[in-house]
Amino acid sequence: MSDTQQNSSGWGPGASDVEELVPEAKSYSANQLVVRRFFRHRGAIVAMITLAAVIVVAFTSIGVGPIPGWWNKDIATAYDKVGDGSPTWAHPFGQNTIGKDYFALTMRGTQVSLYIAFGVGLVSTLIGTLVGAIAGYFRGILDSLLMRLTDVVIIIPLLAIAAVLGRMTGGDVNLLVLALGVLTWTSLARLVRGEVLSLRERDFVMAARAVGTHPVRIIVRHILPNTVGVVIVSATLTIAAAILLETALSFLGFGVQTPDVSLGSLISEYKNAFTTRPWLFWWPGLMILAIALSVNFIGDGLRDAFDPRQTSTKE
């Protein structure tokens, strides 16, 4: 029996039924697919909202430089101490030993720690991408030299050398960012090198070489855009590692120095008050935990979004 006869008899699907069952197919670009997969990762979305909230509150509450914030207390003034300095309506995070508002101090520490974390992520990403791209594309002696340099940096105990460099910076935040950035690029360099070794044998790269395109242009215009997934994911994980590394250095006294503060230095300064005045320890600790977990979850979401194996036929 033909399809037409089946449809007219009432038991076969008609054309209108097929249109209802099979919706109009949609095509998406590679970037659109990445965005769709990322926004389907609930953990990454919650983490992104949490991190955005932390950043907004930290930088708008006490302001930045000459720009004032909405919080009416600053980090320098010692206010009249209420009781033992426990949290009150006037001081929701409590007060430190001499009466300074701990909310303002925690927000300032969050600003500094975020600046260090994102700064280290940027410096580390630039160095790692550059080293990996050069080593993977040119190969040969240059590749061997750069990879041996990478091996040397890897085998050096990170915390020990970071402590030495941190002491040499004298507490200067910008120098500390640069020092930590030049120590944390090795993993990304290896990942980018592997991607470039694969991409340099593709037809579009060989065609560009055949017509005499300069190697720098090939790397920048043809190869690096195809490694963006690896670079972005690695950068987010570096940011998470950087804030923990800065916390460890400041806790040991080799990071941010007074009169400025970071989350790590606040924990270090009030570590002995953990049992008697726990709010002095827990507030900066919770901020570190929120930032590190948020960045890690965002990195997981980006990794799943950029992974081609996550592509579904339903998309």
Side-chain angles (χ1 to χ4, degrees):
M1 184 179 295
S2 65
D3 292 340
T4 303
Q5 292 174 328
Q6 292 176 1
N7 294 340
S8 61
S9 64
W11 60 269
S16 60
D17 297 326
V18 173
E19 291 177 356
E20 293 179 0
L21 294 174
V22 182
E24 182 181 355
K26 294 182 180 180
S27 59
Y28 299 96
S29 66
N31 291 334
Q32 289 174 325
L33 288 174
V34 169
V35 173
R36 282 166 60 84
R37 286 195 293 268
F38 177 77
F39 280 97
R40 288 179 179 178
H41 195 291
R42 295 181 180 178
I45 299 304
V46 173
M48 187 169 61
I49 295 173
T50 302
L51 181 62
V54 169
I55 293 174
V56 169
V57 172
F59 284 91
T60 61
S61 58
I62 61 172
V64 182
I67 303 175
W70 49 262
W71 188 243
N72 60 358
K73 298 177 178 63
D74 57 55
I75 64 174
T77 304
Y79 300 91
D80 293 335
K81 197 171 181 182
V82 180
D84 61 350
S86 58
T88 61
W89 286 111
H91 304 278
F93 281 19
Q95 295 174 274
N96 70 354
T97 306
I98 61 175
K100 290 185 177 182
D101 181 68
Y102 208 58
F103 177 80
L105 286 172
T106 302
M107 292 303 102
R108 176 55 185 169
T110 302
Q111 288 182 2
V112 174
S113 294
L114 284 170
Y115 173 75
I116 292 174
F118 282 92
V120 170
L122 177 62
V123 173
S124 173
T125 299
L126 291 176
I127 297 175
T129 302
L130 180 63
V131 171
I134 293 175
Y137 183 81
F138 293 102
R139 299 192 300 185
I141 297 177
L142 188 57
D143 180 24
S144 299
L145 291 175
L146 291 176
M147 287 301 99
R148 298 299 76 75
L149 173 63
T150 303
D151 293 338
V152 170
V153 177
I154 287 176
I155 64 175
I156 297 176
L158 179 59
L159 188 59
I161 191 65
V164 173
L165 294 178
R167 176 65 70 182
M168 293 173 61
T169 62
D172 186 285
V173 175
N174 293 317
L175 292 178
L176 184 62
V177 167
L178 184 61
L180 297 182
V182 299
L183 295 175
T184 55
W185 53 269
T186 52
S187 297
L188 178 58
R190 287 176 172 270
L191 291 173
V192 172
R193 174 181 176 271
E195 290 289 319
V196 173
L197 284 173
S198 174
L199 290 169
R200 75 184 303 276
E201 305 300 330
R202 299 285 183 87
D203 292 340
F204 64 91
V205 175
M206 297 179 68
R209 287 205 300 264
V211 298
T213 305
H214 195 277
V216 174
R217 184 178 178 84
I218 293 176
I219 293 173
V220 174
R221 295 293 300 275
H222 299 288
I223 293 181
L224 288 183
N226 289 284
T227 66
V228 65
V230 171
V231 172
I232 291 177
V233 173
S234 179
T236 58
L237 299 178
T238 301
I239 292 172
I243 195 168
L244 296 177
L245 179 59
E246 181 278 326
T247 299
L249 289 178
S250 297
F251 183 82
L252 295 173
F254 299 108
V256 177
Q257 305 293 324
T258 55
D260 210 350
V261 296
S262 70
L263 295 176
S265 66
L266 288 175
I267 291 178
S268 176
E269 184 176 357
Y270 300 110
K271 60 181 181 293
N272 294 328
F274 178 76
T275 56
T276 57
R277 290 170 293 167
W279 58 88
L280 298 178
F281 183 90
W282 280 111
W283 286 120
L286 289 174
M287 296 301 292
I288 292 171
L289 185 64
I291 296 170
L293 285 179
S294 295
V295 175
N296 271 316
F297 274 112
I298 292 172
D300 288 342
L302 289 171
R303 181 192 59 206
D304 294 344
F306 280 106
D307 189 351
R309 291 172 296 180
Q310 298 293 327
T311 303
S312 171
T313 56
K314 295 180 180 181
E315 294 183 18

